Amino acid sequence: MFQTFDSMNDPFAGSARCAALRQDLARRKLDGFLVPRADAHQGEYVPPSDARLEWLTGFAGSAGIAVVLADEAAIFVDGRYTIQVREQVDTQVFTPMHLTECPPTQWLAKTLKPGARLGYDPTLHTISGTRRLKAACLAAGAELVAVADNAVDAVWEDRPVPPLGAVAVHADALAGEAASDKIARMGAKVGDAGADAFVLTQPDSIAWLFNIRGSDVAHTPLPLSFAILPAKGKPRLFIDGRKLSNAVRDHLVGLAEVEEPVGLVPALAEMGRAGASVMLDPDWTGDALASAVLGAGGTIREGADPITRAKAVKNDAEIAGARAAHLRDGAAYARFLAWFDRAVLDGPLDEIGVAERLEAFRAETGALREISFDSISAAGPNAAICHYRVERKSNRPIPPDSLFLIDSGGQYEDGTTDITRTLAVGSVSDEMKRHFTLVLKGHIAIATARFPVGTTGAQIDALARIDLWRAGLDFDHGTGHGVGSYLSVHEGPQRIAKTGHVALDPGMIVSNEPGYYKADSHGIRIENLELVTGPSEIDGGERPMLGFEALTLAPIDRRLMVKAMLSDEEHAWVDRYHARVLAEIGPLMDDETTEWLRAATAPL
């Protein structure tokens, strides 16, 4: 099994660990220290050796930061984790704060005392983030102090060793473009931006550029590494050589100078001494790397990672792979749904057992390389925690007459999947059905949207919420995120959200996942992945419009739909979508599952 259900988080250890950290800070003559969720690559997933925030506080979410001062401590999380943080963290030690309503910089500006020295690890804080922290300290009359060795590491006695996951070559037939061509194309973009080189810190950008995949972090095939991409000439790849087989090394040395990670900072200093103009993405690059260039006399040019957008727009081979992966995954998912409907009647089920069974159905395809994230297998009130992660100590039996939410995905060499379905268990309340139908209406609004070239995710986000808003409801997460091609299940720069300011281009893949969460009662989310399709004419229209093609193929629970709440157009969409699901995955089913699928996709 790829998913484990144990965790290092122990809220009862927070007090002792915080005390040990404060003792170390006193030795360093520091009045506080910042502990972000991030590692040196700023990724969503970090290896156990970099899970400092979870070790210190118990919080296992994918975003957050703690501030430990001599006499108080706070942990900042966004709206996805406001319930979870109070369940995982000792709130007598760390005060939970809302990351956007009261950002850490605002809190620091008000809380730090004049003359205070606040420590931070410059490898873990971005250039732009450090800039904001310095401004907050200045406003308080305090000082932000870079430390050479992380203070948490100094007191983390059983810290795991860094990962050495094997690297594999990603075939050109799946990538759709040779690595040498990508390097030339991206290098030209660096030159066009007026820089001599760009420093790549995001492992998914590096994996895409060199057509490699890794295994350093859970669920995402990333090789933790850095690279310097020059405007002209051979890149330099900084990666632990123990991850490379002879065949992979042969692939890479034909493309780049392969060096050990310890060589990165000296290489940047060398470029600085040569007066090079080095381009860095201020939102993704550790402040320590900028200091290495500037300290040696170099020039920093700030700009976005040129690979991020290129990677987001899938080519023909990647689109074909995504469709094949979703067809395969949809067949496995239909078998799971048919099993669930039978099993929930036969005997007690629990969250872990269901997650394990779903992973087994995917594994039976013979093509599963990993799950794309820890499945959110949530029964009853646990589903109200929108990013709930089941653990053995939280594992809940699935009660009768309730809702069950399962958010999951698979990593296949030809594509990455992500799907959420909310399922009826027995007879559910009219309120639950009403909430489900409001969420469904938002899902359909996104799925059927047509929009002009240049439209951003922020401009269509309200479509998913308008019916919830009319009912006085909303959800505290984005409507959709980008998805990689056998890479990260959460990929930028595109997203459908209030903060989604990047245009949706043909070839991008985004999720469509509105939801609703009633604390201590139930949670609902309906998620498909959508491919942004190219502009096409509309009868009687004047401008060609972009749209979406649903990649995900799985029934949506008809038992939860209040038909009277659906318009004729929404009603027709449900029937069209279900007819397509039956037509495309039906032939891949055994007779018993096909019979179940026909009933699950029957016209409303």
Side-chain angles (χ1 to χ4, degrees):
M1 300 296 292
F2 291 115
Q3 183 166 357
T4 61
F5 302 97
D6 299 311
S7 174
M8 74 167 69
N9 59 9
D10 179 3
F12 299 106
S15 179
R17 291 172 179 176
C18 194
L21 177 60
R22 283 176 170 139
Q23 191 172 29
D24 184 78
L25 296 179
R27 178 183 62 81
R28 298 169 186 254
K29 294 181 171 51
L30 293 174
D31 300 295
F33 195 71
L34 298 163
V35 185
R37 168 58 164 66
D39 65 1
H41 305 278
Q42 302 297 319
E44 177 180 7
Y45 294 106
V46 300
S49 55
D50 284 306
R52 297 177 180 87
L53 183 64
E54 182 175 1
W55 177 83
L56 180 68
T57 68
F59 175 66
S62 63
I65 184 171
V67 183
V68 177
L69 303 180
D71 53 358
E72 61 182 310
I75 181 167
F76 298 80
V77 301
D78 61 40
R80 297 172 295 172
Y81 298 116
T82 52
I83 299 174
Q84 179 177 330
V85 70
R86 294 183 178 277
E87 295 187 347
Q88 293 184 330
V89 172
D90 185 346
T91 57
Q92 298 299 310
V93 179
F94 298 93
T95 302
M97 305 291 293
H98 198 290
L99 190 63
T100 54
E101 293 176 1
C102 179
T105 50
Q106 179 180 316
W107 186 86
L108 286 167
K110 293 180 179 179
T111 307
L112 287 175
K113 297 174 182 177
R117 302 177 76 246
L118 178 67
Y120 81 111
D121 182 341
T123 67
L124 306 183
H125 295 266
T126 65
I127 298 167
S128 57
T130 301
R131 198 174 287 147
R132 291 190 293 270
L133 289 168
K134 286 181 177 178
C137 289
L138 182 64
E143 179 186 3
L144 186 67
V145 181
V147 298
D149 60 315
N150 193 288
V152 172
D153 296 351
V155 298
W156 189 355
E157 295 180 352
D158 57 348
R159 183 185 173 213
V161 297
L164 291 172
V167 174
V169 176
H170 189 57
D172 287 0
L174 295 171
E177 184 180 8
S180 56
D181 293 337
K182 292 180 178 180
I183 290 168
R185 184 159 63 95
M186 294 298 104
K189 286 184 176 293
V190 174
D192 291 343
D196 296 311
F198 188 91
V199 180
L200 297 170
T201 62
Q202 297 180 75
D204 55 339
S205 290
I206 293 168
W208 180 90
L209 183 67
F210 292 105
N211 283 349
I212 57 175
R213 298 295 186 266
S215 50
D216 281 329
V217 298
H219 314 321
T220 306
L222 297 179
L224 296 182
S225 52
F226 298 90
I228 298 174
L229 174 65
K232 295 179 180 178
K234 217 173 186 182
R236 301 172 72 172
L237 174 63
F238 300 88
I239 187 168
D240 194 312
R242 291 172 290 179
K243 301 176 185 180
L244 309 178
S245 67
N246 289 338
V248 173
R249 184 177 287 275
D250 288 344
H251 167 80
L252 289 172
V253 296
L255 301 168
E257 302 293 340
V258 180
E259 307 173 46
E260 292 295 315
V262 294
L264 175 63
V265 170
L268 293 175
E270 177 187 348
M271 294 174 70
R273 287 191 292 272
S277 173
V278 181
M279 193 171 181
L280 302 173
D281 189 327
D283 295 327
W284 291 96
T285 305
D287 188 56
L289 301 188
S291 296
V293 177
L294 294 172
T299 302
I300 293 295
R301 182 181 294 271
E302 295 187 1
D305 182 341
I307 292 174
T308 302
R309 195 173 190 112
K311 172 168 53 67
V313 178
K314 279 40 178 188
N315 58 40
D316 290 345
E318 291 170 321
I319 291 171
R323 288 176 176 141
H326 280 85
L327 185 64
R328 181 188 313 118
D329 197 70
Y333 203 86
R335 294 187 186 100
F336 159 75
L337 290 176
W339 166 84
F340 182 88
D341 270 6
R342 295 190 302 268
V344 81
L345 297 175
D346 293 341
L349 296 177
D350 60 29
E351 294 167 335
I352 288 178
V354 172
E356 289 177 332
R357 196 69 189 95
L358 175 53
E359 184 177 326
F361 278 111
R362 286 192 166 109
E364 288 169 9
T365 66
L368 185 71
R369 294 294 176 262
E370 244 278 18
I371 55 175
S372 53
F373 56 96
D374 283 328
S375 296
I376 299 172
S377 179
N382 280 350
I385 306 171
C386 65
H387 282 72
Y388 168 74
R389 180 184 181 275
V390 58
E391 299 172 356
R392 299 198 186 280
K393 61 187 178 183
S394 70
N395 185 30
R396 177 186 290 268
I398 299 174
D401 304 331
S402 68
L403 294 179
F404 178 73
L405 185 152
I406 179 80
D407 185 349
S408 67
Q411 290 282 12
Y412 305 93
E413 284 189 334
D414 50 2
T416 300
T417 69
D418 182 3
I419 173 176
T420 307
R421 291 294 183 263
T422 304
L423 308 175
V425 180
S427 299
V428 302
S429 69
D430 289 343
E431 179 189 51
M432 292 175 180
K433 291 180 180 179
R434 174 174 169 268
H435 289 159
F436 181 92
T437 307
L438 289 170
V439 172
L440 175 63
K441 288 168 75 69
H443 180 93
I444 295 171
I446 295 293
T448 58
R450 302 298 301 275
F451 45 94
V453 172
T455 298
T456 67
Q459 289 174 295
I460 66 171
D461 178 74
L463 298 178
R465 302 175 188 269
I466 192 67
D467 285 287
L468 286 164
W469 287 350
R470 288 183 179 126
L473 308 172
D474 201 357
F475 53 96
D476 286 332
H477 57 76
T479 299
H481 55 81
V483 178
S485 180
Y486 188 39
L487 277 172
S488 177
V489 74
H490 294 152
E491 178 181 88
Q494 77 279 17
R495 57 196 312 242
I496 302 174
K498 298 169 186 176
T499 55
H501 302 306
V502 172
L504 300 174
D505 293 334
M508 287 180 170
I509 296 174
V510 292
S511 67
N512 171 9
E513 51 179 312
Y516 171 70
Y517 312 91
K518 183 173 182 178
D520 302 319
S521 177
H522 59 272
I524 296 160
R525 189 159 63 250
I526 304 168
E527 178 186 18
N528 283 353
L529 296 192
E530 312 272 0
L531 173 70
V532 182
T533 56
S536 62
E537 301 291 340
I538 297 175
D539 289 344
E542 297 179 351
R543 299 183 185 181
M545 296 285 171
L546 306 182
F548 291 118
E549 171 196 331
L551 293 170
T552 305
L553 297 168
I556 300 170
D557 199 332
R558 297 164 67 257
R559 298 166 296 189
L560 292 170
M561 299 178 192
V562 180
K563 298 174 190 177
M565 291 175 61
L566 298 176
S567 69
D568 290 345
E569 292 81 5
E570 292 165 339
H571 186 290
W573 181 89
V574 171
D575 286 349
R576 282 197 312 273
Y577 176 72
H578 277 159
R580 181 183 165 213
V581 169
L582 178 61
E584 296 198 31
I585 68 174
L588 305 177
M589 301 290 102
D590 57 82
D591 290 343
E592 183 179 15
T593 306
T594 299
E595 182 179 353
W596 174 89
L597 185 62
R598 285 198 184 99
T601 58
L604 288 177

